[in-house]
Amino acid sequence: MAEAHSAVAFSFSVTSEGLDVNVNREVLGLIFKSGVTSWKKRLGRFKNTFRTGIYPVTPMGLGFIVTLIASMKAKNFAPRITYLDNIVDTMPKVDIYDNTVNIFGNVFYGVVVCGAFTFTIRMMLRVLFTYQRWIYEVRGPVSLRTKIWLMFVKAFRFIGQEPLLTSFQGALPKLPVPSIEDTMTRYLRSVKPLLDEENYDRMEKLALDFKNGVAKKLQRYLILKSWWASNYVSDWWEEYVYLRGRSPIMVNSNFYGVDAVLIQHTPIQVARAANLIYAMLLYRRTLERQELKPIFVNKIIPLCSSQYERQFNTTRIPGIETDTLVHYKDSNHIAVYHKGRFYKVYIRHGGRLLTPKEIEVSLQKIVSDRTEPCPGEMHLAALTACDRVSWAKARQNFFSKGKNKTSLDAIEKAAFFVTLDDEPQSYSDLDPTKLNKFSRSMLHGKGYDRWFDKSFTLVVCSNGTVGFNAEHSWADAPVTGHLWEFTLSEDILNLRYTDDGHTKGTIIEPLPNPIKLEWDISTECQDVIQTSLKVATELLNNVDLYILIHNQYGKRLMKQHKISPDAYIQMALQLAYYRDCKKFSLTYESAMTRLFREGRTETVRSCTLESVEFVKAINDPSVPRKKCRELLMKACNVHQKSYREAMTGNGIDRHLFCLYVVSKYLKIDSPFLKEVLSEPWRLSTSQTPHQQTDKFDLNKNPEYISAGGGFGPVADDGYGVSYIIAGEDVVFFHISSIKSSPTTDSERFSKNILNSMQDIKQMLESS
C-alpha cells in the first residue's frame, strides 16, 4: 500500500477550527512535470506532422518562400491568379504610413502558392516512385531512362531538409492491381511443375472459366478499392490472415529472435535487462520524434514506414469472432514477469527516462522479492497461448472489473512486456543443440511465461542472454528486426557494463518501487487457465525446432560466382526438400512490398520449372556439371525475376487472396479461387534482414550479427525455414516442423540442407 499512499497529492479533514488541507508538494510537482512532458510530446508530434507534410521543403525555407511571394505580391510582381486574387481582395487591409496594404491577403497568397509548389514536388516524387524498371537493372547495364529517372529522384529528394521517418509517406505510390490475364499466366506457370498432366489440364480449365466468368466483376471491385484505399491488400490481410484466425497465435503466428550469440555479455540478468530496456526506450523516443532514418533501397528509394507506428504501446485484444489491435499514444511503464508474478515498472520519473542503473535497481527489487504468486497468477499468460475464442470468453467473464481489470490494463497498456526467465540459455560450438533449446525458449517458452498478445516480449534469461517473441499482426519481421538490431548494437557499442558486470551510471534520485499486480482469480477462472495451459503445452511439445549453423561458406562464395545469395539458398532448399520428401512442393518465400504505401508482403513461389529442372539434373550423375551450372544460373535468374515482380506489385497470391475476399463479400462461389486458397505451403521460407542500421560494419565485426530468428511450420506436414546470411561466411537456418508428422523431421532436413549447400559448391567449383 506504500505506492497508494504516496500517490495521494493532498488530503483534508474537518476540525473545530475549520477545513484543514494538507498538500503534498512533491506529488503535485510530479503531476506538473508529467503534464509538461505530455504537452511537449503533443507539440513534438504537431511539429513532426508539419515537417513531414511540407517535405522536402524545410520550415525555414517555407517561411522564406512565403515572405518572398507575399512581398512580390505587394509590389505587383507576382502573377495574377483570378480566383485566388478574388479571395485576396476580400481580405481586410491595414493602413501603414498613410498606405493601405493588404498584408493578410498577400501572406495568404504566398501560403497558397507555396503550398501548391510543395504539393507539386510531392506529386512529382510520387510519379517518379511509380517507375519500377530500375529494380531489374540493379546488377546489370543501366538504361538511359533509368539514369535520367535517378537524376530527377536525387534532385527532388535533396531539395531541402533531411527526411524524417515518415517524410515520404505522402509521396509513395499505391500498390497497383495486376491484370487478371497476368495473374492467371503466372499462376499456371507456378503450379505446372507440381501437377501431372491430367491435374494441370483440370486447373487450366478452372482458371480459364474463372478468367472468362466472375473474374472481371471481382476485378472491378478490387480496382475501385485500390482507388479509394491507401493499399488494396493490407487491411484485409491484417484482418483475415491474422486477426480473424481463431487458433493459438503461439507457434502458429508469433515469431522469435535470438541474441548475438558470438559475443560474451554480462552474466547478470538484471543488468542485461536494464541496458536492453533502456536501449528500446531510446529507440521508442527516436520513433516518437521521427528521428529514425527511413530505410532506402540502394540508398535512393524509400520504403514505407507505416508499420513502425504500432511497435510500442500496442496489444492484441481477443474477440469471439475477430481480435482487435489497440495502440496507445504513450505509456510510462513496462510490464515484467518473474517466477509467476507480474509487475508494473515505471520507466519515467520527473519527466525523464530512467537511467540503465535505475532500471537495474528496480528489476533487482523484483528478483529479490520473495512474495508468492496469487492463486492462478503463475500460469495466467497461458490464456494468451490458447485458442482465441476461449481467451476472449475468459477475458470477458473474469477480467472485466475489479483488481483483475486494473492489473490486465497495466499489462495491455505497457510499452512492452519483459520476462525475466529463471533458466539460463546459451550457445556453444561444442554443443550446437544448445541453440535449439535457446530458440525453442524464445518461440514459446513454457507456454505461460510470455504475454503473446503484446507487440513483443523481451526475454532475458537467468545468465543474461536475451531474445524476443513478437506478435505478427501489427507488422512484419523486418520492423521488429530493425528494433532488435538497434537494441543489440546500442548495448554492445554504447551502453556496455562495468568490470563487475553491472550497468554504468548512477541513480539520480529516489525512484518509485515496482508495483506487484494484484489478482482475484476465482476457482472457475483457474480451471480455464489450466485448460489453456494444457492446450499450450501440447502445442509446444509438438514443435520440432532445429538450428543449422552453416559456416563452411556464405555469401562471399555465392557472390564470387555472381549468384544472388537469396536465390542460391532458395535453390539449395529446393534440392534439400526434394531429397527429404522425394517430391516437389508449393514453396512460399516472403518478399516485401514496402515500395508502396502501407505495403507489407507478397509471396515468391520459389518452386519453378527451372528450379525443378536444376534439382533433377544435379541429382543425376550422368548430367555434366557444366550443364548443372547453366541450369542453376537459369533457375536463380528466374527466381530473381519473380522476386522483383513480387516487390513491384506484380505478384500472384495477394491479388488472388483479395479476389477471394471480394467473392465472399458478394457471395459468389468460385471453384478456382477456393482451390487456390486451400493449397498447402509445405515449404514456407523467409530471409531475416540485417544491417538496417548503420551502427556497425559486419565486415569488420561479423561477431556482432544476431543468430536471427524463426517461426513455426505453416503446414502440419511441412517445414518452416527462416535463414539469416550472417556476414560473409556464415548462414543460420532455423528449421521447424511438427513432431507428430510422420513425413517431416527438422534435424533430417537440416542435414539435407547441409549436403545440398555442399553439393552445389562442389558443382560450381568443378564446372
Side-chain angles (χ1 to χ4, degrees):
M1 293 297 290
E3 290 82 8
H5 285 301
S6 65
V8 179
F10 68 91
S11 61
F12 68 90
S13 59
V14 180
T15 66
S16 58
E17 297 179 356
L19 190 66
D20 182 23
V21 180
N22 294 317
V23 179
N24 188 324
R25 294 181 180 178
E26 181 181 356
V27 177
L28 287 179
L30 290 175
I31 293 173
F32 175 76
K33 288 181 180 179
S34 179
V36 170
T37 301
S38 178
W39 276 103
K40 282 182 178 179
K41 287 195 168 189
R42 291 180 187 178
L43 290 173
R45 291 191 190 106
F46 175 79
K47 182 182 75 173
N48 288 334
T49 301
F50 177 72
R51 288 181 63 190
T52 56
I54 66 171
Y55 183 84
V57 180
T58 64
M60 185 176 295
L62 181 68
F64 174 77
I65 296 172
V66 168
T67 303
L68 179 62
I69 294 175
S71 301
M72 292 173 63
K73 181 64 176 172
K75 298 294 185 181
N76 293 321
F77 291 150
R80 183 168 181 81
I81 305 173
T82 305
Y83 294 109
L84 183 56
D85 281 320
N86 290 340
I87 297 173
V88 169
D89 291 340
T90 62
M91 291 188 169
K93 298 175 176 58
V94 180
D95 290 330
I96 301 177
Y97 300 114
D98 297 328
N99 291 322
T100 302
V101 182
N102 193 350
I103 295 178
F104 298 108
N106 294 339
V107 171
F108 175 76
Y109 182 94
V111 169
V112 172
V113 172
C114 188
F117 170 73
T118 304
F119 178 79
T120 301
I121 292 178
R122 291 169 70 86
M123 289 303 101
M124 292 188 73
L125 272 174
R126 181 181 295 184
V127 171
L128 288 168
F129 290 153
T130 59
Y131 177 74
Q132 306 290 350
R133 288 304 307 171
W134 63 270
I135 202 168
Y136 296 90
E137 301 174 6
V138 171
R139 291 180 176 86
V142 180
S143 65
L144 177 62
R145 178 186 294 183
T146 299
K147 290 178 180 177
I148 295 172
W149 166 82
L150 192 59
M151 180 182 67
F152 275 103
V153 170
K154 289 181 178 180
F156 282 112
R157 259 198 56 195
F158 298 110
I159 284 177
Q161 60 181 326
E162 279 294 311
L164 300 179
L165 178 64
T166 60
S167 289
F168 291 102
Q169 291 302 104
L172 291 175
K174 291 186 177 183
L175 183 69
V177 181
S179 69
I180 294 290
E181 182 72 33
D182 287 347
T183 297
M184 293 298 100
T185 302
R186 292 190 183 106
Y187 172 77
L188 289 173
R189 180 175 173 79
S190 73
V191 297
K192 193 166 186 176
L194 306 173
L195 302 174
D196 57 33
E197 188 174 348
E198 181 182 349
N199 280 317
Y200 180 78
D201 290 342
R202 182 183 64 84
M203 183 56 71
E204 193 174 36
K205 184 179 183 304
L206 284 176
L208 185 63
D209 291 343
F210 172 72
K211 184 175 70 171
N212 296 331
V214 299
K216 294 179 182 178
K217 182 177 181 179
L218 302 180
Q219 180 81 343
R220 284 196 295 269
Y221 279 98
L222 210 54
I223 291 173
L224 179 63
K225 187 193 176 189
S226 73
W227 291 345
W228 177 254
S230 299
N231 188 295
Y232 81 92
V233 176
S234 293
D235 58 336
W236 284 349
W237 187 255
E238 180 178 298
E239 179 179 359
Y240 293 107
V241 173
Y242 294 115
L243 298 180
R244 283 188 179 269
R246 301 294 81 198
S247 59
I249 61 175
M250 181 191 77
V251 176
N252 295 320
S253 179
N254 285 27
F255 57 93
Y256 70 90
V258 296
D259 207 348
V261 295
L262 302 178
I263 298 178
Q264 293 295 323
H265 304 282
T266 175
I268 301 175
Q269 182 183 34
V270 290
R272 187 84 196 282
N275 264 1
L276 266 64
I277 290 169
Y278 182 74
M280 287 177 167
L281 295 175
L282 290 181
Y283 185 88
R284 185 179 73 156
R285 187 169 67 184
T286 304
L287 276 183
E288 290 170 347
R289 296 176 178 178
Q290 294 217 26
E291 293 171 351
L292 189 70
K293 294 180 181 178
I295 295 178
F296 296 95
V297 179
N298 289 349
K299 301 182 180 180
I300 295 293
I301 311 303
L303 298 183
C304 177
S305 301
S306 63
Q307 295 181 48
Y308 286 85
E309 181 183 2
R310 298 182 293 186
Q311 192 153 26
F312 295 89
N313 326 325
T314 299
T315 194
R316 178 170 173 166
I317 305 295
I320 301 299
E321 294 183 355
T322 183
D323 294 355
T324 54
L325 276 175
V326 177
H327 172 70
Y328 301 95
K329 289 280 187 183
D330 193 18
S331 178
N332 289 319
H333 71 277
I334 57 174
V336 178
Y337 177 89
H338 178 65
K339 288 189 175 180
R341 303 155 303 173
F342 293 86
Y343 295 85
K344 177 180 180 179
V345 179
Y346 287 103
I347 52 178
R348 284 200 194 101
H349 184 69
R352 63 173 178 83
L353 284 179
L354 299 187
T355 65
K357 176 63 72 176
E358 291 169 334
I359 297 173
E360 181 184 353
V361 169
S362 292
L363 296 179
Q364 185 59 53
K365 291 178 180 179
I366 292 174
V367 172
S368 301
D369 187 4
R370 295 294 178 261
T371 307
E372 290 296 318
C374 301
E377 181 182 11
M378 174 172 283
H379 300 147
L380 175 61
L383 291 170
T384 69
C386 71
D387 69 277
R388 306 307 291 172
V389 176
S390 299
W391 173 208
K393 291 178 179 178
R395 190 177 187 277
Q396 185 177 358
N397 293 336
F398 306 116
F399 298 90
S400 58
K401 59 184 178 181
K403 289 181 181 179
N404 291 349
K405 184 179 186 307
T406 302
S407 296
L408 183 61
D409 279 349
I411 294 174
E412 293 180 340
K413 293 180 180 179
F416 52 91
F417 194 84
V418 179
T419 295
L420 299 177
D421 263 4
D422 52 4
E423 293 181 356
Q425 301 294 343
S426 62
Y427 161 77
S428 171
D429 290 329
L430 302 177
D431 185 5
T433 60
K434 286 188 175 182
L435 193 54
N436 300 345
K437 180 173 175 286
F438 187 2
S439 298
R440 284 181 62 93
S441 177
M442 297 306 111
L443 176 62
H444 49 63
K446 298 175 182 176
Y448 60 81
D449 50 0
R450 286 96 175 90
W451 198 269
F452 295 101
D453 285 355
K454 286 299 289 182
S455 54
F456 67 90
T457 296
L458 170 64
V459 182
V460 187
C461 306
S462 61
N463 62 339
T465 55
V466 295
F468 70 84
N469 181 284
E471 202 276 320
H472 208 331
S473 63
W474 62 273
D476 299 308
V479 177
T480 309
H482 194 171
L483 163 67
W484 194 237
E485 190 176 315
F486 176 96
T487 302
L488 294 181
S489 60
E490 191 71 18
D491 176 47
I492 295 168
L493 301 176
N494 296 328
L495 298 177
R496 300 183 181 179
Y497 303 90
T498 59
D499 293 339
D500 58 355
H502 289 279
T503 53
K504 294 183 176 181
T506 57
I507 298 176
I508 298 175
E509 55 186 315
L511 304 171
N513 290 322
I515 299 174
K516 185 180 181 301
L517 301 183
E518 298 295 331
W519 307 90
D520 184 11
I521 302 176
S522 64
T523 304
E524 184 182 0
C525 182
Q526 291 179 43
D527 292 340
V528 174
I529 292 172
Q530 289 306 309
T531 301
S532 299
L533 178 60
K534 183 179 179 182
V535 171
T537 303
E538 290 177 355
L539 178 58
L540 67 89
N541 284 339
N542 200 25
V543 174
D544 183 13
L545 186 63
Y546 191 89
I547 315 303
L548 169 64
I549 307 167
H550 184 275
N551 52 14
Q552 285 83 350
Y553 67 93
K555 70 177 180 180
R556 189 193 310 275
L557 180 138
M558 302 171 195
K559 290 189 295 185
Q560 285 173 358
H561 289 281
K562 298 182 180 180
I563 301 176
S564 157
D566 180 72
Y568 186 106
I569 291 173
Q570 285 292 326
M571 294 308 109
L573 291 175
Q574 289 299 311
L575 178 57
Y577 186 86
Y578 181 76
R579 289 174 171 176
D580 188 88
C581 300
K582 306 300 183 289
K583 63 180 180 179
F584 296 99
S585 175
L586 193 62
T587 304
Y588 180 109
E589 182 188 3
S590 177
M592 60 126 187
T593 56
R594 287 169 59 196
L595 291 170
F596 303 95
R597 201 184 321 173
E598 296 182 15
R600 291 197 61 162
T601 59
E602 177 57 275
T603 305
V604 181
R605 294 181 168 225
S606 301
C607 183
T608 62
L609 290 167
E610 292 76 13
S611 69
V612 167
E613 192 177 3
F614 159 70
V615 168
K616 289 181 177 179
I618 198 173
N619 278 326
D620 185 351
S622 65
V623 178
R625 299 299 88 178
K626 184 178 180 181
K627 178 64 175 177
C628 290
R629 178 190 176 93
E630 292 173 357
L631 293 174
L632 173 64
M633 300 299 289
K634 184 179 178 182
C636 288
N637 289 336
V638 168
H639 180 270
Q640 281 297 94
K641 183 175 181 291
S642 299
Y643 201 99
R644 288 162 180 161
E645 287 174 346
M647 286 183 64
T648 54
N650 294 305
I652 301 169
D653 292 276
R654 298 302 179 268
H655 186 203
L656 293 174
F657 163 76
C658 288
L659 290 170
Y660 181 75
V661 173
V662 174
S663 74
K664 287 300 179 182
Y665 274 120
L666 298 178
K667 298 181 179 178
I668 296 174
D669 185 50
S670 169
F672 170 74
L673 289 176
K674 186 176 181 180
E675 184 158 342
V676 169
L677 270 295
S678 63
E679 292 171 343
W681 300 96
R682 291 192 175 89
L683 182 56
S684 182
T685 70
S686 179
Q687 180 183 173
T688 302
H690 60 83
Q691 207 71 63
Q692 296 187 85
T693 69
D694 56 2
K695 284 181 168 289
F696 52 80
D697 186 349
L698 287 178
N699 293 325
K700 296 179 180 178
N701 299 101
E703 71 277 8
Y704 288 176
I705 189 71
S706 162
F711 51 87
V714 175
D716 288 345
D717 57 348
Y719 292 107
V721 181
S722 175
Y723 53 93
I724 182 169
I725 303 171
E728 295 293 322
D729 301 302
V730 179
V731 183
F732 288 92
F733 292 90
H734 296 246
I735 306 155
S736 64
S737 61
I738 299 298
K739 289 181 180 178
S740 58
S741 170
T743 59
T744 58
D745 183 296
S746 294
E747 184 175 2
R748 184 186 73 208
F749 191 57
S750 75
K751 292 177 181 177
N752 281 313
I753 293 175
L754 186 65
N755 291 334
S756 297
M757 294 282 283
Q758 190 63 28
D759 289 349
I760 294 176
K761 175 178 179 288
Q762 290 177 355
M763 179 271 294
L764 288 171
E765 290 175 344
S766 64
S767 62

